[in-house]
């Protein structure tokens, strides 16, 4: 994929974001509507995309790389957790909670999955899906603990019952046993999976519409964005290059690490009494800046 195609992909994403933004501003996609679409997106579309990719692309060689992916992504999340403890130490608690969570949990599913698939193909998506095993564990344990006390059993239960985790299990099962599926079923699964990019951009665009432009001029937003979009990917790129990690695994992790703050950050901040306004602005600024930083990351990788 050349730079021109990458630019085309970013332009397409920006236009899809704009559609979501306009729909929300005109009242076509309110908060309740976004919540419903998000639930369908997480429960149906992403799992279908994962199962489809596993079914068509999973090989023993890729499965071995997947094991390295799980280990390396666990190390990545641990690094992000420790980095946050140091980098945001001087900030007030309500903002520190948001920053720590958003540094660990990026928008890897909503924005990362479609970009990884577009840039690295179905094999990249398989690796990204396997990374969600440690990703979901961190989401429901260490990351969630930034906002509230958690029960270990609940964290395990939420991980094991998460649609992405279940879709990975189903995908591996189908691919390993080479179970033949009816053409109409595989076609339906693939078509639902193909909806991931437009629907994710629609949701993100609608979320960004809630932020007033006059509220984004706060240095902490750009401090975080530099760390999330440039600092962490750069450190991971050079660290994994020195360690000799397979390029496919390294590139997938760096791309996922270059994603902006996850859209769920603002929802959790609102629910647990952290600074929800700051979280929304963090998502807005980091998402817009990522449109430019992803081009640099892409050139570094390719």
């Amino acid at each position: 994929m050349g730079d021109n195609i990458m630019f085309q992909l970013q332009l397409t994403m920006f236009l899809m974001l704009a559609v979501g933004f306009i729909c929300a501003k005109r009242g076509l996609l309110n908060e309740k509507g976004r919540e419903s679409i998000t639930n369908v997106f997480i429960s149906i579309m992403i799992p279908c995309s994962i199962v489809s990719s596993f079914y068509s692309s999973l090989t023993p060689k890729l499965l071995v790389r997947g094991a390295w992916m799980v280990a390396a992504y666990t190390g990545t999340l641990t690094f992000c957790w420790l980095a946050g403890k140091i980098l945001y130490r001087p900030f007030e608690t309500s903002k520190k909670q948001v920053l720590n969570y958003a540094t660990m949990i990026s928008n890897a599913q909503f924005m990362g999955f479609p970009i990884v698939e577009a840039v690295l193909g179905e094999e990249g998506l398989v690796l990204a899906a396997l990374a969600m095993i440690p990703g979901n564990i961190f989401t429901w344990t260490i990351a969630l603990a930034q906002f509230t006390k958690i029960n270990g059993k609940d964290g395990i239960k939420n991980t094991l019952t998460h649609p992405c985790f279940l879709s990975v299990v189903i995908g591996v099962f189908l691919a390993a046993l080479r179970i033949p599926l009816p053409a109409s079923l595989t076609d339906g699964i693939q078509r639902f999976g193909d909806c991931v990019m437009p629907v994710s951009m629609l949701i993100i665009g609608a979320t960004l519409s809630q932020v007033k432009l006059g509220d984004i001029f706060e240095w902490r937003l750009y401090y975080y964005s530099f760390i999330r979009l440039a600092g962490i990917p750069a450190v991971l790129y050079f660290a994994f290059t020195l360690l000799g990690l397979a390029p496919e695994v390294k590139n997938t992790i760096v791309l996922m690490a270059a994603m902006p703050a996850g859209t769920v950050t603002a929802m959790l901040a609102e629910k647990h009494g952290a600074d929800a306004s700051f979280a929304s602005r963090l998502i807005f600024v980091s998402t817009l800046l990522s449109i430019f930083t992803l081009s640099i990351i892409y050139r570094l990788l390719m």
Side-chain angles (χ1 to χ4, degrees), residues 50-58 171 174-175 178-182 186:
I50 292 172
V51 170
S52 178
S53 296
F54 272 64
Y55 191 69
S56 61
S57 303
L58 188 63
L174 292 174
R178 302 200 177 274
I179 298 174
L181 297 176
T186 56

Side-chain angles (χ1 to χ4, degrees), residues 155-162 165-166:
I156 295 173
K157 178 183 177 182
N158 288 330
T159 297
L160 296 179
T161 58
H162 194 279
F165 178 83
L166 294 176

Side-chain angles (χ1 to χ4, degrees), residues 25-76:
K25 285 294 187 183
R26 294 180 64 87
L28 298 175
L29 192 57
N30 58 24
E31 185 175 350
K32 192 170 183 179
R34 291 199 306 274
E35 183 178 349
S36 297
I37 294 176
T38 299
N39 289 336
V40 173
F41 179 81
I42 293 175
S43 301
I44 303 294
M45 294 176 186
I46 286 183
C48 282
S49 177
I50 292 172
V51 170
S52 178
S53 296
F54 272 64
Y55 191 69
S56 61
S57 303
L58 188 63
T59 62
K61 183 178 180 180
L62 187 57
L63 198 56
V64 171
R65 287 178 183 166
W68 282 105
M69 182 73 184
V70 171
Y73 203 68
T74 300
T76 296

